[in-house]
Amino acid sequence: STQGVSSAASDVYKRQKVVARLLASPHYGERWARHWLDVVHYGESHGFEYNQPRNNSWPYRNWVIRALNADLPYDQFVRMQIAGDVIAPGSADGLIAIACLVTGPHNTTRPNNDTMRKTMRQDEVEDLVGMVGQTFLGLTINCARCHDHKFDPIRQTDYYRTASIFWAGYIGQGNLGGPSKEQLGLDVFGWTDKARIAGPIRLLIKGERHQPGDVIEPATLSSIPSLEKKLAAPPVESKTTHRRLQFAQWITRPDHPLTARVMVNRLWLHHFGQGIVRTPNNFGFKSIPPTHPKLLDWLAAELVDGKWTLKRMHKLIMMSSTYRHSSQHPNQKQYQQQ
């Protein structure tokens, strides 16, 4: 009936207003930043046995909130957190965003010899490779440090290819054995490369530091052969290796098979309680296969085609008939009586 159509249209209009109000609220960024900060291992203390307070990491937390509230396109959001110091050198936003790489746990114990320092460096790089791989690609690349991945087509050389991207950085975190205020250009909790040229990184046989193998050249993952490429040398005038910038650009290619799918799965997870892929940090062969693969593909395409805007994806999900379904079974009372 005409009255029924009018009522349905009115309901849709009211729902659109509510969704728009929620997305425009400053609390939107605060709520969704909590989920993101968990993924990147953000902490305001260092962890490990001393767990000392970390008093200067909060600007990164606030940057994430601001970026989400401003609906910074997800591809830019990713690039800034991997290579903000290269994209916007000397800017507060660029140097704060890059703290994504160093907000996780950090062992503040000072190694008393060169062997321990080298071992700690390898361990911290492994943690960084693990966080980046799982956060942005849904791949446990760090599992290939000692040998080819036992389940996924990630070779040990792929691990060291990825590690080489961060190899030029400091072993310590920003302002804690890491880059100084003078090196960064600002007094912030940030990170950058030590120099334009990085020392060679070698494959470690069985992951053991004292068993170095062949030198590994920086490149992208061989497990995505259609996008595989070696990384170019940095410009002559550069102060960094430019490896992280090239890696960030590779991750955010519109045709990358993982990046958009991993992110829309995270959005689905927090709206519905379970992801289309139940293991949001692991899209490998040991993950639970997607319950609705075509839906995942479609949502990923929508994210890219919609210029990577996350608020548009939230609205798309919340205005869907699936989201409007009741969580209660229509025969719930009948089943309860039985």
Side-chain angles (χ1 to χ4, degrees):
S1 67
T2 305
Q3 183 177 359
V5 172
S6 176
S7 175
S10 176
D11 178 65
V12 169
Y13 175 71
K14 290 178 181 178
R15 185 177 293 273
Q16 286 178 333
K17 287 187 66 176
V18 171
V19 170
R21 175 174 57 81
L22 293 174
L23 291 175
S25 167
H27 300 304
Y28 157 78
E30 294 169 358
R31 176 178 178 81
W32 285 89
R34 291 172 61 190
H35 301 315
W36 182 259
L37 296 173
D38 283 345
V39 172
V40 300
H41 306 165
Y42 170 82
E44 296 192 359
S45 61
H46 296 306
F48 291 96
E49 61 270 30
Y50 296 114
N51 199 30
Q52 298 159 323
R54 184 185 294 158
N55 298 321
N56 55 355
S57 63
W58 60 267
Y60 170 71
R61 175 200 65 199
N62 288 7
W63 179 87
V64 173
I65 294 171
R66 291 198 307 273
L68 293 176
N69 278 333
D71 202 17
L72 181 69
Y74 182 66
D75 59 340
Q76 296 180 39
F77 184 69
V78 171
R79 289 194 292 268
M80 287 291 283
Q81 291 176 87
I82 296 176
D85 60 318
V86 186
I87 296 170
S91 77
D93 270 1
L95 291 172
I96 291 171
I98 198 69
C100 168
L101 301 177
V102 287
T103 57
H106 175 68
N107 192 344
T108 55
T109 302
R110 296 289 182 180
N112 57 15
N113 60 62
D114 187 57
T115 297
M116 290 179 64
R117 281 192 292 272
K118 289 180 178 179
T119 299
M120 180 180 285
R121 179 175 178 78
Q122 292 286 349
D123 291 344
E124 291 208 351
V125 170
E126 179 187 345
D127 185 70
L128 182 52
V129 169
M131 185 278 289
V132 169
Q134 293 172 49
T135 297
F136 301 109
L137 301 175
L139 292 178
T140 53
I141 303 172
N142 52 309
C143 291
R145 173 180 173 178
C146 305
H147 45 67
D148 290 353
H149 202 299
K150 290 184 179 295
F151 308 107
D152 297 324
I154 301 173
R155 300 173 181 172
Q156 189 181 12
T157 51
D158 283 327
Y159 168 81
Y160 289 96
R161 282 182 173 191
T162 309
S164 73
I165 292 164
F166 306 99
W167 194 240
Y170 290 79
I171 184 173
Q173 295 177 327
N175 299 345
L176 189 74
S180 66
K181 174 183 175 181
E182 290 70 29
Q183 290 164 315
L184 288 174
L186 288 173
D187 187 15
V188 296
F189 186 77
W191 199 69
T192 192
D193 293 344
K194 292 181 179 179
R196 174 180 172 273
I197 302 297
I201 186 169
R202 292 181 176 274
L203 182 146
L204 301 182
I205 299 170
K206 296 183 179 181
E208 297 290 346
R209 188 196 56 75
H210 60 274
Q211 296 191 64
D214 295 336
V215 172
I216 303 299
E217 298 297 328
T220 60
L221 298 178
S222 66
S223 53
I224 308 178
S226 62
L227 303 183
E228 184 181 4
K229 59 177 292 188
K230 292 184 178 180
L231 302 188
V236 175
E237 69 279 5
S238 174
K239 295 182 179 179
T240 70
T241 63
H242 270 234
R243 292 178 185 178
R244 286 179 289 108
L245 177 60
Q246 293 177 72
F247 183 64
Q249 291 169 336
W250 176 77
I251 285 179
T252 54
R253 286 181 53 150
D255 58 346
H256 199 290
L258 289 171
T259 308
R261 286 176 174 83
V262 169
M263 189 56 191
V264 296
N265 188 64
R266 295 192 191 281
L267 299 183
W268 191 273
L269 163 67
H270 293 300
H271 278 298
F272 289 97
Q274 287 187 320
I276 299 171
V277 176
R278 300 296 196 238
T279 49
N281 287 345
N282 186 357
F283 275 46
F285 286 121
K286 295 300 287 184
S287 69
I288 299 174
T291 56
H292 300 77
K294 291 184 178 179
L295 173 60
L296 183 65
D297 292 347
W298 181 79
L299 287 170
E302 282 292 314
L303 176 60
V304 175
D305 293 345
K307 299 181 179 179
W308 298 88
T309 58
L310 296 180
K311 286 189 177 183
R312 175 178 176 272
M313 297 305 299
H314 285 296
K315 183 177 180 180
L316 186 66
I317 291 172
M318 289 189 287
M319 292 301 299
S320 69
S321 60
T322 302
Y323 190 77
R324 297 200 303 270
H325 283 173
S326 171
S327 61
Q328 296 182 342
H329 194 281
N331 299 327
Q332 182 178 4
K333 291 184 179 180
Q334 175 185 340
Y335 293 146
Q336 287 176 335
Q337 291 173 356
Q338 293 176 353

